Each structure stands twice: as structure tokens, then as C-alpha cells.
Amino acid sequence: KTIAAINELHARNYILVACSGRPLHSVPKEIYDLPFDYIIGNNGQEFLDRRSNETFEKEKLHKDELEMLHNLAIKHMCISNIHYEGFTYLIMAKRHLLFGIGFNVLNSMRFVFKQRKKSKVKYSTNIKSLKLEDNAKICFVSFASNLRSLQKEIDTNKKYHSFLVAKNWLEAQPIHISKGQALIDIAKRENIDIENTMAFGDGENDYPMLKAAGIGVAMENGLDKTKSVAQYIAPSF
């Protein structure tokens, strides 16, 4: 039903945008198979215009910023996840190593069930020993209470903002990068009044997008913050 709706909207000449928290290279093939005019990755840090095949990016977190944010994560008993094309760094305190390995095993099973390729994981307990490169975001894994505590501290620094994508997964990026700003950028690019846009989402990374859109729709099983700003709630089936 979703695919049929997307194809019908495309036939009616609506501009369609898939806006993902994933990097463009790891957006599932099923999304690329659909007639989206734009695919946005990393919550608005990178854009692909599929009609011109043009890609463009906004600034990333500097490697020193990644290290600083990771050190905050250690303080709040969280594990850092920094994803590059082809591999992922899973960085943690030594006392959390077994938890980190267990998390990765469970996460790998999810990819097996969905028949998707998972990137290679490199474990570390010393971020200074890694050859970090600038990255669009840094992710954190822990119990919800630890993540909320970390989120509160990150958000006191006005250079960054953080958001729960799921109850045990937090992400942080530069303050001016969000799905909401991506929607505004696309609307300007297409000369569309923002009031004539509609957005769908479930995680807190979708919150600024639903807030910016003319009409925001949240999933019934989405996070409370995102549902609070939506005009409509899509029911579960």
C-alpha cells in the first residue's frame, strides 16, 4: 500500500523526498527502487538530486569534536558508534567491552534477518589510537536513562543538538543540520511554499521536519516528542 501510494503521488507530479538518518551509501536499495526525486542522508547533512544525479553536502563534525563528544559518552556510561563507509568504530570504556560486543552481535542478527549487509565493526577502548576522519554525526548506545543524561549535557552546548532515533540509540550533529532544515532547503530549491509540504516520521530526528512541514504525520508507535508536534497520527496495523 505504501509503494502504491508513492507511485501514485509520483504520477501526479508531487516532489517526493526520502529523508534518512543513514548515510546515502547505506540507505536500503528498496528506497532507491522507488521514484523519489531526492534522497537525503545523515539527517540532512547530504543530499542527492536524482533527476540531475547531483550530490551536495553540509559540514561535518571535526574529528576533535567526535573525540570530545565520545568523552562525554564515557562519562554517562554510553558506547559511541562512528560509522564510515565499509566499517564502524564501536568505542567504549574497557569495563563496557563485553556489553559492546553483545550489542553488536544482536545488531548483526537484525541485519541477517533483513538480508542486508552489515559493515565491519572495529572495537576500541582508546579513541586516540584511531585514525578518525570528519564525520556527519556520532551515535551512542546505552540504556535510555543514560542516553537522556548524555543528551542533556550535549544540548547545553549550542554548537550541537542530539536526538533519540530509538529508545536506546542517540545521535548528535552540528546544530544547524536537521531533517527540518533539509525540508526547508528542498522547498526553496523547488520554489514550493513550506505550507504546501507534508512530512512523516517516528523518531526525534523527525521532530524538526514535522515541525517545519505544513502537515506533520507521526507514527502511532513513534517517540512521544515527535508525536507531540504532529497534526495527525498514523495508526498501527
Side-chain angles (χ1 to χ4, degrees):
K1 290 175 72 174
T2 301
I3 291 171
I6 289 171
N7 286 327
E8 182 176 348
L9 288 168
H10 174 69
R12 294 185 183 187
N13 294 318
Y14 281 81
I15 301 298
L16 300 176
V17 182
C19 193
S20 177
R22 292 169 174 264
L24 287 175
H25 64 78
S26 71
V27 170
K29 177 181 178 296
E30 292 88 341
I31 299 299
Y32 284 95
D33 289 341
L34 292 169
F36 288 107
D37 299 284
Y38 293 90
I39 298 178
I40 295 173
N42 284 322
N43 299 308
Q45 185 270 331
E46 53 183 350
F47 295 71
L48 168 62
D49 184 335
R50 300 187 74 200
R51 294 164 301 182
S52 64
N53 206 33
E54 177 187 7
T55 59
F56 48 101
E57 286 189 287
K58 294 187 176 182
E59 73 173 89
K60 298 179 178 181
L61 290 169
H62 189 269
K63 58 184 180 180
D64 292 339
E65 295 177 294
L66 295 172
E67 183 175 338
M68 180 273 291
L69 290 166
H70 165 70
N71 288 334
L72 288 182
I74 292 293
K75 190 169 102 176
H76 294 275
M77 296 185 291
C78 299
I79 294 172
S80 300
N81 181 302
I82 305 176
H83 184 78
Y84 296 98
E85 188 167 2
F87 71 94
T88 297
Y89 285 130
L90 209 58
I91 318 163
M92 65 212 78
K94 289 181 180 179
R95 64 185 182 278
H96 298 145
L97 187 58
L98 287 177
F99 175 79
I101 293 172
F103 163 78
N104 183 56
V105 170
L106 292 173
N107 198 39
S108 299
M109 291 172 61
R110 179 170 62 89
F111 278 78
V112 170
F113 290 142
K114 292 186 177 182
Q115 296 183 324
R116 290 182 184 151
K117 186 177 179 181
K118 189 179 186 301
S119 60
K120 182 180 178 181
V121 172
K122 300 180 180 181
Y123 299 98
S124 177
T125 57
N126 180 12
I127 194 169
K128 289 187 179 297
S129 68
L130 304 178
K131 295 180 180 179
L132 291 179
E133 298 176 8
D134 296 354
N135 206 308
K137 63 181 180 179
I138 181 170
C139 309
F140 308 101
V141 181
S142 190
F143 299 108
S145 58
N146 293 347
L147 292 175
R148 284 298 189 191
S149 177
L150 172 60
Q151 182 179 34
K152 186 175 180 180
E153 182 162 2
I154 291 174
D155 291 351
T156 59
N157 187 327
K158 300 305 180 183
K159 288 180 63 178
Y160 313 104
H161 69 128
S162 58
F163 38 84
L164 287 174
V165 177
K167 291 181 179 178
N168 301 107
W169 186 278
L170 182 75
E171 299 185 357
Q173 290 189 271
I175 190 70
H176 60 279
I177 292 177
S178 71
K179 289 188 178 185
Q181 186 58 51
L183 176 61
I184 292 168
D185 292 343
I186 295 295
K188 287 180 179 178
R189 186 179 174 93
E190 294 292 335
N191 197 29
I192 296 172
D193 191 315
I194 197 70
E195 290 301 313
N196 294 327
T197 64
M198 190 173 190
F200 303 80
D202 60 352
E204 288 185 3
N205 56 336
D206 297 311
Y207 173 89
M209 181 173 66
L210 269 61
K211 188 175 181 180
I215 297 175
V217 183
M219 306 303 110
E220 189 173 61
N221 62 347
L223 297 180
D224 290 340
K225 181 177 178 179
T226 305
K227 290 192 287 186
S228 73
V229 77
Q231 288 99 324
Y232 296 96
I233 303 296
S236 295
F237 292 97

